[in-house]
Amino acid sequence: MATIARRAPVGNDVLERLKSVVGPAGTIDDPSDIAPYCRAWRGIWAGDAPLVLRPANAEEVAALVRICAETGTAIVPQGGITGLTGASQPHEDRSEVIISTQRMKRIRGIDIANDTMTVDAGVILREIQQAASDANRLFPLSLGAEGSCQIGGNISTNAGGNQVLRYGNTRSLVLGLEVVLANGEIWNGLRGLRKDNTGYDMKQLFIGAEGTLGIITGATLRLFPKPSDTISAYIGIESPTAAVELLSLLRSKLGESISAFELMRRAIIDLLLTGVPGHSDPMPSVHPWYVLMEVAGQGEPGTLNAPLADALGAAMEAGLVRDAMITTSGEQARKLWKMREDLAEAQKSAGGSIAHDISVPLSRIPEFIEKADAAVAQAYPGVRHCCFGHVGDGNLHYNPIRPVDWTYERFHAEYPNMNKIVHDLVVSLGGSISAEHGIGRLRLEENYRYKSPVEIGMMAAVKKALDPKNIMNPGKVLRG
């Protein structure tokens, strides 16, 4: 795992200047109160920082960044601390201050005619979903951490989720940004435009940049018509090949009404049922793989039942479906999607896994799973295969679980070698080693291994242009 060149700890004079900007309400300097801001959600990363700053608005962020730019003080921008790759944790040398957007919680406005919402970066994702719903609109970004993650962090990591198939990832949902640049200037790009052909699309530089180019303080988001009819289906299938062919057939019959299409291996369902309380097997018959899908539309409730049933019937006649159930209530659908949400807990209950958040072209999903299973089993006899994910956009969570007779420590020590086995295969199939979690510190060196020198050079040039002093989240995404 990557490190950066050591810097000197932040001086007390700088800390006092920073505190004066935000006052006592925006300052956390007690080590015991700082500690939770330095630990990653999964506990892999634990750094140290002398100060957490919680500005109330973009102007206070800008004032803080100007001091940091003047003094060469490194900054770790931070949202809900739900990331999985170490991008929002400080390093261990107390050379960085944390700037948290926790207090920036305004929903600045909703424009119904334009189908947009403008928000502060610190608004919780679920609150944005609810505000959209209250306005009879949909903000479709949805993921397991939506009750605690912040929209600024979602944008900074280009978060994905279950509905990317229909609506795209976060990059597709952002029309405008407000960003504090590394020199302390505020760029106001909060334009709710679908078309703007006046040069470089600057907002795209900050989406997915993980806080390495600037601090996102506000965003204008796309809204969509709120579906009036939503149905889920749980489908037993033979193989990943059947899943890919099933998606193609269903798309030809149901079009853009398919909003989610998740693939799950039976082995992870078994671990869920035995290791996580509150779940029961939805289907009496057992199948090697399952698809959990959702269709949504604007018709009267129940409108989609017949088209979905007809489409699944055609798929069954084509030999792609072994069994299927269509939900008859919202509660039944919620239980199915709670199963999908709790698959992370299922892995933990089984003793832990080595996670890979990868993507490959849809057509190569079956080949990837077959080859990865064989390669991992050969290297680690007794490993338990675990694979699930958003097959509709090619994003799989391929997370082998430790053999039952191995300790967690022994298995975790194989992290680099396991990653290399899986990621070498992913790249050979034209895929990506990070589909939605980002690079952070966890995948930094692998990013250098798999990206071409030309691409790394372009990224480094952008970084140097926008952050010449390298104070914005140094050592994340890029070395240094």
Side-chain angles (χ1 to χ4, degrees):
M1 294 179 182
T3 59
I4 63 170
R6 290 188 63 84
R7 297 171 181 245
V10 184
N12 288 332
D13 56 334
V14 176
L15 297 178
E16 292 304 317
R17 289 179 64 188
L18 293 169
K19 289 179 187 179
S20 70
V21 172
V22 295
T27 298
I28 299 176
D29 54 8
D30 185 282
S32 61
D33 293 331
I34 291 173
Y37 293 83
C38 297
R39 290 194 298 267
W41 178 64
R42 281 186 177 168
I44 298 175
W45 308 99
D48 195 8
L51 189 62
V52 176
L53 299 153
R54 302 193 309 149
N57 51 52
E59 289 72 25
E60 287 189 357
V61 175
L64 293 171
V65 173
R66 284 194 294 272
I67 293 171
C68 290
E70 175 195 331
T71 59
T73 302
I75 298 166
V76 178
Q78 197 173 87
I81 329 179
T82 60
L84 301 176
T85 64
S88 58
Q89 281 70 51
H91 292 85
E92 295 76 23
D93 56 13
R94 296 177 61 83
S95 67
E96 301 159 312
V97 295
I98 294 170
I99 296 183
S100 168
T101 54
Q102 277 183 332
R103 295 174 66 213
M104 300 172 63
K105 292 183 170 296
R106 288 180 302 151
I107 293 179
R108 303 188 192 182
I110 299 177
D111 186 339
I112 294 298
N114 197 42
D115 276 333
T116 55
M117 180 189 302
T118 299
V119 298
D120 281 355
V123 181
I124 301 296
L125 176 56
R126 184 171 289 160
E127 295 173 0
I128 292 173
Q129 295 168 345
Q130 187 59 53
S133 180
D134 291 345
N136 199 33
R137 294 293 186 270
L138 172 73
F139 184 65
L141 183 62
S142 178
L143 44 130
E146 61 193 30
S148 54
C149 63
Q150 298 174 13
I151 191 63
N154 299 144
I155 296 168
S156 293
T157 57
N158 189 29
N162 295 335
Q163 301 195 76
V164 170
L165 172 63
R166 180 171 180 175
Y167 297 102
N169 54 22
T170 303
R171 190 178 298 279
S172 302
L173 304 176
V174 176
L175 293 178
L177 288 179
E178 177 186 77
V179 181
V180 174
L181 304 178
N183 62 2
E185 292 181 330
I186 299 174
W187 171 56
N188 186 344
L190 293 174
R191 295 182 284 273
L193 300 175
R194 272 76 174 172
K195 302 177 80 171
D196 180 359
N197 203 14
T198 55
Y200 305 133
D201 189 352
M202 300 305 297
K203 69 178 181 293
Q204 296 296 345
L205 289 176
F206 301 97
I207 302 173
E210 301 182 48
T212 61
L213 301 178
I215 301 177
I216 295 170
T217 53
T220 297
L221 308 170
R222 291 183 65 191
L223 303 180
F224 296 83
K226 184 178 179 179
S228 54
D229 188 23
T230 303
I231 308 172
S232 295
Y234 188 70
I235 306 161
I237 59 173
E238 182 66 35
S239 66
T241 298
V244 173
E245 293 177 2
L246 175 62
L247 177 59
S248 179
L249 185 151
L250 294 178
R251 274 176 156 169
S252 70
K253 294 183 176 296
L254 299 171
E256 293 302 308
S257 67
I258 303 173
S259 54
F261 195 89
E262 300 286 303
L263 179 68
M264 300 177 289
R265 195 177 212 137
R266 176 66 202 190
I268 187 63
I269 299 297
D270 287 335
L271 293 175
L272 177 76
L273 297 176
T274 57
V276 183
H279 294 287
S280 58
D281 211 336
M283 194 175 281
S285 53
V286 174
H287 305 282
W289 293 84
Y290 298 87
V291 164
L292 176 58
M293 66 174 292
E294 180 185 83
V295 292
Q298 306 309 125
E300 291 295 320
T303 302
L304 291 169
N305 266 71
L308 177 57
D310 290 345
L312 289 174
M316 195 167 287
E317 289 180 9
L320 300 177
V321 170
R322 293 169 51 142
D323 198 2
M325 57 170 284
I326 297 174
T327 57
T328 57
S329 69
E331 180 59 27
Q332 189 180 31
R334 279 189 290 274
K335 287 182 178 179
L336 289 174
W337 287 101
K338 186 66 166 63
M339 289 179 61
R340 171 62 182 86
E341 182 181 323
D342 283 351
L343 294 186
E345 289 299 316
Q347 295 167 73
K348 187 184 296 185
S349 73
S353 62
I354 294 180
H356 306 89
D357 161 45
I358 64 93
S359 65
V360 294
L362 269 65
S363 58
R364 309 202 78 170
I365 285 175
E367 180 184 2
F368 164 75
I369 294 174
E370 180 182 359
K371 289 183 174 179
D373 284 355
V376 168
Q378 181 177 5
Y380 303 102
V383 74
R384 289 172 286 174
H385 296 300
C386 171
C387 181
F388 59 94
H390 323 299
V391 71
D393 54 49
N395 175 199
L396 296 175
H397 301 291
Y398 188 83
N399 303 346
I401 296 173
R402 68 170 175 83
V404 292
D405 57 346
W406 284 39
T407 64
Y408 172 79
E409 290 74 20
R410 178 185 175 188
F411 191 55
H412 191 71
E414 297 298 323
Y415 203 105
N417 187 56
M418 178 77 79
N419 283 175
K420 189 173 189 308
I421 292 170
V422 174
H423 290 158
D424 281 357
L425 176 59
V426 167
V427 173
S428 75
L429 298 176
S432 168
I433 65 169
S434 181
E436 60 183 1
H437 293 164
I439 295 299
R441 294 168 70 182
L442 181 67
R443 303 291 184 213
L444 193 154
E445 293 303 326
E446 289 179 283
N447 216 27
Y448 278 80
R449 181 185 307 136
Y450 294 116
K451 281 190 181 295
S452 72
V454 172
E455 193 166 359
I456 290 291
M458 290 192 295
M459 291 171 60
V462 172
K463 170 74 169 172
K464 188 167 184 60
L466 292 180
D467 181 20
K469 295 184 178 180
N470 193 27
I471 64 169
M472 286 293 176
N473 222 7
K476 319 288 177 62
V477 183
L478 290 168
R479 295 172 181 153

